[in-house]
Amino acid sequence: MNKTQKFYHSVALNAEKCRGCTNCIKRCPTEAIRVRNGKAHIRAERCIDCGECIKICPHHAKRAIHRHFEDLEGLYEYLVALPAPSLYGQFNNLHNIDFVLNGLLHFGFDDVFEVTRGADMITQYTKILLAEGKLKKPVISSACPAVVRLIRARFPELCQHVLPVAAPYIVAAKLARKAAIAKTGLPAEKIGIILIAPCPAKITDVRMPVGVKTSGIDAVLAIDDIYKGLLNEMNKLEEKDLQPLSQATATGTSWCISGGEARALKQDKYLICNGVENVIEALEETEDGKLDDLDFIELKACTEGCVGGVLTAESPFVTQSRVYRLLKNLPPANDIPKEALPLDILDWTEALEYAPIFQLDGDLTTAVQKMRRLEEIVKTLPGLDCGSCGAPNCRALAEDIVRGESSEHACFFILKNKINRMYQEIAISEHPQEEKPHEK
Amino acid sequence: MNEILKLHYVVDGNNFSLAGQAASDVKKMLKTLGMAPDVIRRVSIAMYEGEMNMVIHADGGEIDVDVTPKAVVMRLADRGPGIADIDLVMQEGYSTAPDDIRALGFGAGMGLPNMKKYSNDLKIESQLGIGTTITMRVDINSRG
């Protein structure tokens, strides 16, 4: 941990819109946000880019930084769209995915490569790995980048349980580039691999992936940003004119709804959990060894899975229902033997390492001293967890004080008591005759 | 003496949904202290087992935890029925848990053996009809 880590985050604040309210600080699962001088500040080392603050902010002051289609102009000679399956659930009465894929071509892409193809391969590979019995059980899915970052920051023991396999969009991106090179003869850098994503965590993971050196993705567009333009193109299409492009299976497509990934593995004992608070609870129980008999744990930080991503156009429930309907007409994925899988793309090349971002001090003796002080300070705070001080709760304020990042006067109640006392002292010194007890 | 962090927990004997809360709090605190993952795991499993035992057998009790840079010492004291044969309860698989507790997934007879396995030192003091005090120490290896 001695090398300086640089952080990149796709979740950012629009300071002009921020009113300094307490919504985001309270929702953040890693207590990464503080309000200082009336504006929210995100602590880069703590943020896992889950997007919860974007979802909760009533003033739309939090946003995800992503690219727009216009930004891509002139950068590449051949643009390949990588639609995440959650995109398919955005459209009402969609029965044929080729509407979406042909729509993307009309929108301006030269080719499409579905993320579901990566998911199909990962499903197959995970089944093989589970059967080989070399993974530490319970195996935790590595598909949700917010969950992987949460584990890295908060659950040291569980790092070795995370499936050491790249996420579907990364697998798909690398396959897509190979396919595009073969098809066009262009050099790799002339090809733009563009992910159409439902969440900021994937944007961050594309820039700074975990487990692999590079994501192979050149830019990320948000589903809600291209939605209107894409729908417009789709509406112009006639079904009889559609190019048959989709290779989506029910297996790969179901990955965008909570449980799809785990069920596809056909294991006896698995757990499915979505929503970041629930995920934390499941991770706590796993860490305590209460779930040791499970084979596989699927955790997705967003409600109902990727369809609940903050960059989608529709609500998680509506999208989920549409995806279920789509699945009925899709074939299951074919089995692929291990020899035929692109292991160089699938396997993680780097282990997931615990990043103890919550520790009070690098030195244990100092940390213990600080914790003692922290406990003392907690006792002096009102325990209302009101958030007025800018920290999410009283304990977090105590922690900030111990870290030297805040003071007890940030607490409105402590300040009020002090002012009351000062006021009384002034009143007494100005009118000494009133010093007599005024009751009994 | 500035290097000892003392923590105190009262364990409610009749609340299963709260059982394990003290162990969970200690786990969180050790993470904030920056303890090695292995130490956190050992402390939290040993303490969790002890805490569950207090809830299942003894209507709760009190837990004191001393954290120093060298070791984590947990003292779990209850006023339960006491343990008649300590050698017997230390055997893996031995359990007195009634069916309703087993139905919840507890009572596999691994509680005390696990507490012994995960701590560097385990001491049981017990008197029938008076109660049991279990002291466990988990050493923190120097991390260089």
Side-chain angles (χ1 to χ4, degrees):
Chain A
M1 285 313 295
N2 42 14
K3 60 180 175 191
T4 34
Q5 265 183 309
K6 283 203 92 183
F7 299 98
Y8 166 80
H9 291 296
S10 58
V11 175
L13 179 88
N14 181 339
E16 257 174 51
K17 288 185 177 175
C18 178
R19 302 268 296 270
C21 72
T22 60
N23 282 295
C24 63
I25 58 173
K26 295 216 153 256
R27 179 65 78 93
C28 176
T30 54
E31 295 188 345
I33 314 174
R34 297 291 184 276
V35 174
R36 298 267 183 269
N37 301 319
K39 302 287 174 195
H41 293 266
I42 305 172
R43 291 183 175 171
E45 75 280 7
R46 283 197 177 193
C47 175
I48 57 167
D49 293 282
C50 65
E52 287 298 309
C53 56
I54 303 179
K55 288 178 198 167
I56 192 80
C57 180
H59 311 294
H60 307 291
K62 291 280 187 356
R63 64 197 171 94
I65 300 169
H66 57 79
R67 303 282 283 279
H68 305 281
F69 189 75
E70 306 81 74
D71 304 338
L72 306 172
E73 215 185 299
L75 292 180
Y76 307 98
E77 282 182 29
Y78 194 74
L79 280 179
V80 184
L82 226 57
S86 43
L87 177 67
Y88 307 154
Q90 306 300 315
F91 308 100
N92 202 12
N93 291 322
L94 181 80
H95 63 281
N96 183 348
I97 293 171
D98 278 327
F99 272 106
V100 182
L101 304 188
N102 282 261
L104 285 167
L105 297 185
H106 285 267
F107 187 79
F109 287 97
D110 299 297
D111 208 345
V112 287
F113 196 103
E114 295 171 279
V115 171
T116 58
R117 292 171 68 180
D120 283 346
M121 285 189 179
I122 298 164
T123 297
Q124 187 59 32
Y125 189 37
T126 309
K127 273 200 229 171
I128 293 167
L129 290 174
L130 285 168
E132 286 175 352
K134 287 180 201 150
L135 298 175
K136 196 161 183 181
K137 284 190 183 177
V139 175
I140 303 172
S141 158
S142 55
C144 174
V147 169
V148 173
R149 281 164 177 74
L150 184 66
I151 293 171
R152 182 174 67 177
R154 276 183 66 166
F155 299 93
E157 266 305 311
L158 299 181
C159 288
Q160 329 157 36
H161 289 256
V162 176
L163 181 70
V165 174
Y169 44 94
I170 291 177
V171 174
K174 292 179 180 173
L175 294 170
R177 193 177 304 272
K178 278 191 184 177
I181 292 170
K183 198 166 166 181
T184 64
L186 287 168
E189 68 275 10
K190 300 273 186 198
I191 294 161
I193 304 291
I194 316 299
L195 176 66
I196 299 165
C199 70
K202 290 188 178 71
I203 301 178
T204 300
D205 199 48
V206 161
R207 276 280 286 271
M208 290 194 85
V210 173
V212 290
K213 284 214 156 57
T214 56
S215 68
I217 293 166
D218 297 302
V220 186
L221 305 182
I223 286 179
D224 62 354
D225 193 49
I226 67 153
Y227 177 76
K228 236 177 109 179
L230 176 58
L231 185 63
N232 208 11
E233 295 302 331
M234 286 166 63
N235 282 337
K236 293 180 199 161
L237 299 170
E238 295 280 346
E239 187 153 25
K240 60 175 172 50
D241 303 327
L242 294 179
Q243 284 186 61
L245 297 169
S246 181
Q247 298 188 31
T249 63
T251 314
T253 307
S254 71
W255 271 57
C256 70
I257 43 183
S258 178
E261 178 191 1
R263 286 193 193 98
L265 294 172
K266 309 258 187 279
Q267 299 295 309
D268 287 338
K269 289 176 251 166
Y270 58 87
L271 181 146
I272 294 162
C273 179
N274 64 75
V276 72
E277 290 303 324
N278 298 329
V279 164
I280 290 170
E281 205 176 328
L283 288 170
E284 293 280 356
E285 299 215 353
T286 313
E287 191 181 44
D288 289 343
K290 292 182 202 170
L291 305 174
D292 281 351
D293 62 327
L294 293 177
D295 296 316
F296 191 81
I297 298 181
E298 181 199 309
L299 305 169
K300 299 281 154 69
C302 292
T303 304
E304 303 301 342
C306 301
V307 293
V310 72
L311 302 178
T312 56
E314 288 278 16
S315 79
F317 315 102
V318 170
T319 315
Q320 183 207 47
S321 126
R322 289 174 184 166
V323 172
Y324 272 122
R325 224 180 313 157
L326 260 181
L327 292 182
K328 285 188 187 162
N329 301 320
L330 295 175
N334 291 326
D335 279 353
I336 315 165
K338 192 173 179 180
E339 309 81 66
L341 287 169
L343 300 189
D344 56 324
I345 292 176
L346 287 160
D347 279 323
W348 268 9
T349 51
E350 283 150 64
L352 184 63
E353 250 183 77
Y354 175 44
I357 53 172
F358 292 96
Q359 70 177 25
L360 282 175
D361 203 284
D363 173 62
L364 196 51
T365 308
T366 318
V368 168
Q369 286 165 357
K370 284 185 177 173
M371 183 62 85
R372 275 173 60 105
R373 237 190 98 212
L374 193 156
E375 292 295 322
E376 290 305 315
I377 295 168
V378 166
K379 286 178 202 159
T380 68
L381 298 174
L384 295 171
D385 295 339
C386 67
S388 307
C389 62
N393 52 62
C394 294
R395 199 176 171 85
L397 173 62
E399 203 181 310
D400 289 351
I401 296 171
V402 168
R403 289 180 194 272
E405 290 160 10
S406 190
S407 84
E408 61 167 14
H409 293 110
C411 174
F412 177 75
F413 295 90
I414 287 185
L415 194 64
K416 189 178 144 219
N417 286 344
K418 268 204 176 153
I419 291 172
N420 269 345
R421 245 178 285 139
M422 280 164 63
Y423 176 74
Q424 273 166 13
E425 279 164 23
I426 294 165
I428 289 163
S429 63
E430 282 180 359
H431 308 281
Q433 69 276 20
E434 282 173 24
E435 205 179 337
K436 288 164 195 161
H438 34 248
E439 47 187 336
K440 272 184 196 168
Chain B
M1 286 311 281
N2 212 17
E3 276 136 38
I4 302 179
L5 177 71
K6 286 183 177 293
L7 308 164
H8 180 77
Y9 300 92
V10 176
V11 179
D12 181 346
N14 285 309
N15 194 333
F16 247 96
S17 60
L18 283 181
Q21 192 61 51
S24 175
D25 281 0
V26 168
K27 186 175 80 179
K28 202 171 173 192
M29 190 160 299
L30 296 184
K31 283 184 190 176
T32 315
L33 287 172
M35 292 263 183
D38 169 60
V39 174
I40 299 173
R41 179 175 160 82
R42 285 160 61 208
V43 169
S44 62
I45 293 180
M47 185 163 160
Y48 175 77
E49 296 283 7
E51 191 180 347
M52 291 315 293
N53 276 352
M54 290 176 114
V55 174
I56 294 167
H57 300 290
D59 276 342
E62 298 194 20
I63 304 177
D64 285 288
V65 183
D66 287 357
V67 184
T68 72
K70 291 205 166 63
V72 179
V73 178
M74 295 157 270
R75 215 180 83 243
L76 296 86
D78 68 55
R79 293 197 184 141
I83 301 168
D85 185 342
I86 291 177
D87 289 337
L88 182 64
V89 300
M90 290 307 294
Q91 287 173 20
E92 288 187 11
Y94 175 79
S95 174
T96 59
D99 286 347
D100 59 334
I101 298 291
R102 284 171 185 264
L104 290 167
F106 300 100
M110 290 305 293
L112 275 162
N114 267 344
M115 287 154 74
K116 189 176 166 62
K117 182 178 158 192
Y118 289 109
S119 56
N120 294 85
D121 186 50
L122 173 111
K123 196 170 77 185
I124 305 177
E125 297 157 279
S126 188
Q127 274 186 285
L128 284 177
I130 293 175
T132 302
T133 298
I134 292 179
T135 312
M136 293 181 282
R137 194 190 76 238
V138 173
D139 290 336
I140 300 161
N141 303 327
S142 60
R143 288 184 297 156

